[in-house]
Amino acid sequence: MTNASNRQAGALSYRQAFMLTLKRDLIIAFRHKDEMINPLLFFIIVITLFPLGIGPQPNTLAKIAPGIIWVSALLATLLSLDRLFKADHSDGSLEQMLISPQPLFIFTLAKICAHWLLTGLPLILIAPLLAVLLHLPEQSYSALMLTLLLGTPVLSFIGAIGAALTVGIKKGGVLLSLIVLPLYIPVLIFATSAIDTASLSLPYNGQLAIIAALFFGSLTLAPFAVGAALKVSTN
Amino acid sequence: MWKWLHPYANPEVSYHFTEKIKPWFGLASIVLLSTGLVWALLFAPADYQQGDSFRIFYVHVPSAILSMSLYVAMAIAALSSLVWQVKLADASAAALAPIGAVFTAIALLTGAAWGKPMWGTWWVWDARLTSELILLFLYLGVIALHNAFDDKQMAGKAAGILSLVGVINIPIIKYSVEWWNTLHQGATVSKLGMPAMAPEMYWPFLLCFFGFGCLAGYIACIRFQTEVLSRNKMRPWVRTLVTGDDNAPHLATNKQANAGGN
């Protein structure tokens, strides 16, 4: 069947449904640029608070830099999660997705991918600059980038479960962090351990493999959990 | 087996069944805990390395095992509520969560009290300790999510999904002492094979363990009954139960609703 006849029959292929949802979310985000930039600014500001609070000695900063960057990344992701399904829930488009013939998996996957493109990717792009400011040793840069590249999607996937569970609750923000932060701890532990190991010029394949396993596990399982949670929240 | 279980899907039948087994759990826990704890704390021999401070083991290990088992039980209840739509399973998951949270807290606190004389510190960021702390946070998240909804049915489903996601933490806690070389000692008691301890220390442990288990069962019965009552408070059988009046006028009019179960 061609695309045209598909469209005529009112049925989208899975790929089309995925791309349309992704594009729609990106367009909406680009029209509200402040919402997109605020988590990134939050990330940068939190990181600048640490040298001011702890003291500007390069040795101290280099030692705690992986932890600071990763904790700030967790908090910045958390800040942006609240609006992942909120607008769609309030204007009813979430219900349209739930009753559409395409599997819910496709829509949730597309929405989570859009969320990562809008929050995870900017963090990764700005991270090397902040690592320089924190005097991170040169040999851990690749580890930092690789852990962020594999780890931030995991944050989006797991966070989406929490966002979907709390979307029906009026003041779900604090509850969201209570639910999601404990589930983020494994990523944090292995990512910072990988960067620490890299700063000693030791191989960090093991930690990276575990983060990759978390990535593939959450990629395949989280959209199902998000779909189930959305069905509960919209009743 | 389904035929045998089917009547218990009715809240009224379940309530009365729980009422029947509750005193047995209570009695068993009193007997087991009073003998087990007295034996463990007064008569069991002191450990050759750790001396008398080893006795905290008899509270610490049962509560640690129960903290994980209760989470698994809660997750199984949540799964059966989500997959097979067993409505009472929601009530039992809601009943189990706070009990599990309290046992997790007991395990953490007694662990800290044991760590001070043995390791010289109240707390270390060791894999076993950290993952147990995460378990406490997971329990608190499930309870908080449960309380955040006005609609009990939605609350049960949402908390059920969260508890299923959190199951990933259970094998991490279980195998943390084997996967990571950490300060926390390895498993002393294993289900299969001989325990790595003397029998005169092992028997009081078994008594304590089953005693705490029965205590958890007893509290779970009470909480389950409360949940059932609060979810069915508009049902005639609950009204009859509370007022003790069999001939209440609403009984005849609501007979059909009662027959429908749930």
mmCIF file of all heavy atoms in Angstrom, chain B residues 11-12 15 40-41 87 133 189 192 202 208-209 213 251:
data_model
loop_
_atom_site.group_PDB
_atom_site.id
_atom_site.type_symbol
_atom_site.label_atom_id
_atom_site.label_comp_id
_atom_site.label_asym_id
_atom_site.label_seq_id
_atom_site.Cartn_x
_atom_site.Cartn_y
_atom_site.Cartn_z
ATOM 1 N N PRO B 11 -15.752 -9.414 48.584
ATOM 2 C CA PRO B 11 -15.156 -8.779 49.767
ATOM 3 C C PRO B 11 -15.722 -9.293 51.079
ATOM 4 O O PRO B 11 -14.989 -9.414 52.058
ATOM 5 C CB PRO B 11 -15.454 -7.296 49.562
ATOM 6 C CG PRO B 11 -16.331 -7.189 48.400
ATOM 7 C CD PRO B 11 -16.273 -8.443 47.629
ATOM 8 N N GLU B 12 -17.016 -9.620 51.073
ATOM 9 C CA GLU B 12 -17.611 -10.062 52.333
ATOM 10 C C GLU B 12 -17.015 -11.398 52.776
ATOM 11 O O GLU B 12 -16.622 -11.572 53.932
ATOM 12 C CB GLU B 12 -19.123 -10.193 52.161
ATOM 13 C CG GLU B 12 -19.818 -10.493 53.476
ATOM 14 C CD GLU B 12 -21.330 -10.551 53.329
ATOM 15 O OE1 GLU B 12 -21.820 -10.328 52.207
ATOM 16 O OE2 GLU B 12 -21.990 -10.824 54.324
ATOM 17 N N TYR B 15 -13.502 -10.894 53.914
ATOM 18 C CA TYR B 15 -13.446 -10.236 55.223
ATOM 19 C C TYR B 15 -13.609 -11.255 56.336
ATOM 20 O O TYR B 15 -12.841 -11.284 57.299
ATOM 21 C CB TYR B 15 -14.535 -9.170 55.302
ATOM 22 C CG TYR B 15 -14.560 -8.439 56.614
ATOM 23 C CD1 TYR B 15 -13.772 -7.319 56.807
ATOM 24 C CD2 TYR B 15 -15.344 -8.888 57.661
ATOM 25 C CE1 TYR B 15 -13.772 -6.654 58.013
ATOM 26 C CE2 TYR B 15 -15.347 -8.233 58.871
ATOM 27 C CZ TYR B 15 -14.557 -7.115 59.041
ATOM 28 O OH TYR B 15 -14.546 -6.471 60.238
ATOM 29 N N ALA B 40 16.886 -16.094 72.121
ATOM 30 C CA ALA B 40 17.938 -15.424 71.360
ATOM 31 C C ALA B 40 18.685 -14.417 72.221
ATOM 32 O O ALA B 40 19.908 -14.324 72.173
ATOM 33 C CB ALA B 40 17.324 -14.723 70.147
ATOM 34 N N LEU B 41 17.956 -13.648 73.026
ATOM 35 C CA LEU B 41 18.599 -12.542 73.727
ATOM 36 C C LEU B 41 19.237 -12.979 75.036
ATOM 37 O O LEU B 41 20.180 -12.342 75.516
ATOM 38 C CB LEU B 41 17.585 -11.421 73.988
ATOM 39 C CG LEU B 41 16.993 -10.798 72.720
ATOM 40 C CD1 LEU B 41 16.006 -9.703 73.068
ATOM 41 C CD2 LEU B 41 18.090 -10.250 71.821
ATOM 42 N N LYS B 87 -10.071 -7.040 42.230
ATOM 43 C CA LYS B 87 -10.158 -5.749 42.916
ATOM 44 C C LYS B 87 -9.619 -5.833 44.339
ATOM 45 O O LYS B 87 -9.054 -4.875 44.850
ATOM 46 C CB LYS B 87 -11.598 -5.263 42.927
ATOM 47 C CG LYS B 87 -11.974 -4.691 41.582
ATOM 48 C CD LYS B 87 -13.396 -4.212 41.578
ATOM 49 C CE LYS B 87 -13.788 -3.807 40.170
ATOM 50 N NZ LYS B 87 -15.244 -3.836 40.003
ATOM 51 N N LEU B 133 18.125 1.377 51.497
ATOM 52 C CA LEU B 133 17.584 2.731 51.669
ATOM 53 C C LEU B 133 16.695 3.099 50.484
ATOM 54 O O LEU B 133 15.628 3.702 50.656
ATOM 55 C CB LEU B 133 18.732 3.732 51.811
ATOM 56 C CG LEU B 133 18.343 5.160 52.151
ATOM 57 C CD1 LEU B 133 17.680 5.231 53.511
ATOM 58 C CD2 LEU B 133 19.552 6.071 52.122
ATOM 59 N N VAL B 189 22.358 -16.795 56.414
ATOM 60 C CA VAL B 189 21.286 -17.774 56.372
ATOM 61 C C VAL B 189 20.855 -17.960 54.923
ATOM 62 O O VAL B 189 20.529 -17.001 54.253
ATOM 63 C CB VAL B 189 20.081 -17.286 57.195
ATOM 64 C CG1 VAL B 189 19.024 -18.357 57.239
ATOM 65 C CG2 VAL B 189 20.518 -16.894 58.581
ATOM 66 N N LEU B 192 18.538 -22.876 51.075
ATOM 67 C CA LEU B 192 18.970 -24.220 50.713
ATOM 68 C C LEU B 192 20.317 -24.496 51.343
ATOM 69 O O LEU B 192 21.172 -23.624 51.422
ATOM 70 C CB LEU B 192 19.078 -24.347 49.189
ATOM 71 C CG LEU B 192 17.794 -23.967 48.451
ATOM 72 C CD1 LEU B 192 18.062 -23.851 46.964
ATOM 73 C CD2 LEU B 192 16.723 -25.013 48.701
ATOM 74 N N TYR B 202 20.987 -21.028 65.449
ATOM 75 C CA TYR B 202 20.108 -21.031 64.286
ATOM 76 C C TYR B 202 18.655 -21.220 64.686
ATOM 77 O O TYR B 202 17.765 -20.585 64.128
ATOM 78 C CB TYR B 202 20.546 -22.137 63.325
ATOM 79 C CG TYR B 202 19.821 -22.119 62.001
ATOM 80 C CD1 TYR B 202 19.896 -21.008 61.187
ATOM 81 C CD2 TYR B 202 19.080 -23.209 61.577
ATOM 82 C CE1 TYR B 202 19.237 -20.973 59.963
ATOM 83 C CE2 TYR B 202 18.414 -23.192 60.367
ATOM 84 C CZ TYR B 202 18.504 -22.075 59.561
ATOM 85 O OH TYR B 202 17.860 -22.043 58.371
ATOM 86 N N CYS B 208 12.406 -16.583 65.727
ATOM 87 C CA CYS B 208 12.225 -15.141 65.579
ATOM 88 C C CYS B 208 11.716 -14.809 64.188
ATOM 89 O O CYS B 208 10.813 -13.987 64.019
ATOM 90 C CB CYS B 208 13.530 -14.395 65.810
ATOM 91 S SG CYS B 208 13.997 -14.324 67.507
ATOM 92 N N PHE B 209 12.311 -15.472 63.191
ATOM 93 C CA PHE B 209 11.942 -15.163 61.806
ATOM 94 C C PHE B 209 10.469 -15.452 61.571
ATOM 95 O O PHE B 209 9.716 -14.601 61.078
ATOM 96 C CB PHE B 209 12.819 -15.967 60.845
ATOM 97 C CG PHE B 209 12.413 -15.809 59.405
ATOM 98 C CD1 PHE B 209 12.533 -14.584 58.790
ATOM 99 C CD2 PHE B 209 11.890 -16.870 58.702
ATOM 100 C CE1 PHE B 209 12.146 -14.415 57.473
ATOM 101 C CE2 PHE B 209 11.507 -16.721 57.382
ATOM 102 C CZ PHE B 209 11.632 -15.487 56.776
ATOM 103 N N GLY B 213 7.354 -12.975 60.938
ATOM 104 C CA GLY B 213 6.513 -13.218 59.760
ATOM 105 C C GLY B 213 5.044 -13.266 60.138
ATOM 106 O O GLY B 213 4.205 -12.644 59.474
ATOM 107 N N LEU B 251 -31.576 -3.157 53.908
ATOM 108 C CA LEU B 251 -31.051 -4.462 53.507
ATOM 109 C C LEU B 251 -31.850 -5.051 52.349
ATOM 110 O O LEU B 251 -31.289 -5.553 51.376
ATOM 111 C CB LEU B 251 -31.098 -5.415 54.698
ATOM 112 C CG LEU B 251 -30.144 -6.610 54.588
ATOM 113 C CD1 LEU B 251 -28.721 -6.129 54.549
ATOM 114 C CD2 LEU B 251 -30.341 -7.543 55.758
#
